[in-house]
Amino acid sequence: MRKEKGNEVKQCVIYARSAIWNKVKLDKQTAKCMWYAQIRGLEICGIYKEGGAAMEKTLPVFQSVVAKMKAASIGIILVTDLSRISRNASVAKQTANELKRKHIKILCAGK
């Protein structure tokens, strides 16, 4: 978080993911998150898109985003839906808990 004229400005990154690389779907997710960030007064510090990672358990772009966020003290990752982190609900919850321990919150902008 940074301060701007006495007010805290919350910083976030946008993460969009599609099972296959689908520019239209990824752009739609990004636009929805940008709108959400704007109405919530969040400063977008990066937009990251990952496609074709449906069967990968590691999601390389996502892991890179988390590392960059931690290094830059950015506390919010914005997605359209928790399923963008993982289709498996228990894995998504575990990932959310791991991020929480790193002081990173997941916000969902809605589908």
Side-chain angles (χ1 to χ4, degrees):
M1 249 184 278
R2 67 179 179 82
K3 291 204 173 214
E4 189 174 274
K5 294 184 182 178
N7 295 323
E8 285 185 355
V9 176
K10 293 182 180 180
Q11 297 175 312
C12 72
V13 298
I14 292 173
Y15 175 72
R17 185 188 65 80
S18 179
I20 59 170
W21 187 265
N22 183 320
K23 185 176 178 349
V24 173
K25 284 185 179 181
L26 293 169
D27 288 349
K28 236 177 168 176
Q29 289 179 43
T30 302
K32 179 80 172 188
C33 289
M34 290 174 74
W35 169 81
Y36 185 91
Q38 182 180 7
I39 64 169
R40 297 287 192 262
L42 301 172
E43 177 185 358
I44 300 168
C45 297
I47 297 172
Y48 301 90
K49 299 176 183 181
E50 186 157 47
M55 297 302 165
E56 292 184 40
K57 293 185 184 208
T58 58
L59 299 173
V61 173
F62 180 75
Q63 297 303 322
S64 172
V65 168
V66 171
K68 289 175 185 176
M69 290 176 70
K70 191 170 181 194
S73 297
I74 298 170
I76 300 169
I77 185 165
L78 189 52
V79 295
T80 54
D81 187 80
L82 198 54
S83 68
R84 299 303 84 207
I85 304 301
S86 176
R87 288 260 184 217
N88 181 313
S90 64
V91 172
K93 186 176 180 178
Q94 179 183 359
T95 301
N97 287 335
E98 288 172 15
L99 292 176
K100 189 176 180 179
R101 284 192 291 279
K102 294 177 182 180
H103 306 287
I104 297 172
K105 183 182 351 180
I106 300 172
L107 290 182
C108 298
K111 289 185 178 182

